[in-house]
Amino acid sequence: MKARNPIIIANWKLNGDIDLLCKSVASFIRKYFKADVVVCPPYIYLREMLSFLQYSSVAIGSQNVSKFESGAYTGETSAQMLKEAGCKYCLIGHSERRSMFRENNQSCNIKVKSALDSELKPVLCIGENAEERDAGVTRDVLFRQLSEGLEGIEFNGDDILVAYEPVWAIGTGNAASADNAEEVHCFIRKEIKALFGRDVAEKVRILYGGSVNKTNAALLLEQKNIDGLLVGGASLDPSHFMEICQVADQFSQKTE
């Protein structure tokens, strides 16, 4: 069992339809997991998922959140709106948001603060791309993303999660090896300790994301510093995702 309860987060991205929603609900309805399980569907399905899964242990999260609280910002959704809709978590700074929508460390910082103010749990995503990895600057990139993304924030360890997702592994089928992922997670935890203290570093949950599937889930979760998984493509197959959640249960400290 792990000292920090494992968490599995499904990120559907811009995928899914009513058929997927129904199959996912059928898999999870009235289901209890010892691990924490979160599903982040497209915005349009948030209400349906929340309604159908209200008696399960599955929580609902958002794939993004606006840095604005209100105003003339067409297409934006605020942290308070997400909270009122029933979300408990929100992804912030996913690599696709950074690369395609010019998200940066400063905007992530604003979003983390906004999420906390609305009592959402932000999942700050950090990770290097292939060029940065090949140049040997992975740790420099991660430190900047972490320190600037959390600058000026009171962090107690339970209220924010960090997800390490090497950009070169996302959607490629080439996940980081368990040993390599653990090495990076250990580095991230040490930097959190330097920035926020030992107590925070021991409590914060750090997830791995990047071509996660049922085959490598156990290898990743058995690592000391990997506390959960951010699952992309494999989460679009409800039975596959269920198997990943069941693997995570084996590492949980909770009892039914």
Side-chain angles (χ1 to χ4, degrees):
M1 297 196 305
K2 300 179 79 76
R4 296 169 292 272
N5 202 51
I7 180 168
I8 308 297
I9 301 181
N11 179 15
W12 286 8
K13 306 186 182 183
L14 186 56
N15 296 296
D17 51 23
I18 295 299
D19 183 57
L20 175 59
L21 185 148
C22 292
K23 288 180 179 177
S24 297
V25 167
S27 297
F28 294 127
I29 197 165
R30 299 188 183 277
K31 176 67 177 178
Y32 175 83
F33 294 101
K34 291 185 288 182
D36 294 322
V37 176
V38 183
V39 177
C40 298
Y43 282 135
I44 196 169
Y45 298 130
L46 283 175
R47 279 290 190 181
E48 285 85 352
M49 294 290 285
L50 286 160
S51 176
F52 290 135
L53 296 177
Q54 60 181 312
Y55 298 113
S56 77
S57 64
V58 178
I60 304 300
S62 169
Q63 298 178 20
N64 187 32
V65 61
S66 177
K67 65 181 182 180
F68 302 109
E69 294 182 6
S70 63
Y73 304 106
T74 301
E76 293 287 280
T77 303
S78 72
Q80 186 58 36
M81 290 174 179
L82 293 171
K83 177 67 175 179
E84 290 174 354
C87 287
K88 293 184 178 180
Y89 297 82
C90 62
L91 303 181
I92 293 175
H94 189 281
S95 63
E96 290 156 2
R97 297 295 312 176
R98 292 177 186 265
S99 63
M100 299 178 189
F101 300 96
R102 299 185 179 180
E103 195 103 344
N104 56 36
N105 297 335
Q106 288 68 40
S107 64
C108 288
N109 181 263
I110 295 171
K111 291 184 176 188
V112 170
K113 291 176 180 176
S114 180
L116 291 173
D117 287 344
S118 294
E119 299 182 333
L120 290 174
K121 286 192 174 184
V123 182
L124 178 64
C125 301
I126 63 175
E128 82 284 10
N129 60 35
E131 291 76 15
E132 291 163 338
R133 178 190 61 168
D134 293 343
V137 296
T138 291
R139 295 192 174 196
D140 294 336
V141 171
L142 297 182
F143 177 75
R144 286 198 305 274
Q145 292 175 338
L146 189 67
S147 60
E148 294 177 12
L150 297 177
E151 184 177 2
I153 291 173
E154 293 186 8
F155 185 9
N156 65 31
D158 292 325
D159 49 354
I160 301 173
L161 295 81
V162 175
Y164 168 59
E165 43 162 24
V167 181
W168 49 268
I170 298 173
T172 64
N174 298 317
S177 71
D179 288 343
N180 287 343
E182 168 63 12
E183 182 181 352
V184 176
H185 278 237
C186 184
F187 165 77
I188 293 170
R189 198 173 302 280
K190 287 181 179 178
E191 293 306 315
I192 291 174
K193 178 181 176 181
L195 291 167
F196 298 99
R198 179 185 296 273
D199 289 345
V200 171
E202 290 181 350
K203 287 192 291 184
V204 64
R205 288 188 287 183
I206 307 174
L207 294 69
Y208 172 79
S211 294
V212 172
N213 55 57
K214 62 185 179 182
T215 302
N216 61 20
L219 292 173
L220 291 163
L221 288 173
E222 68 185 10
Q223 305 302 314
K224 179 181 178 180
N225 289 288
I226 299 180
D227 307 309
L229 303 171
L230 180 56
V231 188
S235 70
L236 300 175
D237 180 336
S239 61
H240 190 143
F241 185 67
M242 175 69 75
E243 289 191 51
I244 295 174
C245 296
Q246 290 169 338
V247 168
D249 272 359
Q250 299 172 22
F251 295 90
S252 177
Q253 57 188 308
K254 289 182 181 178
T255 57
E256 294 190 26

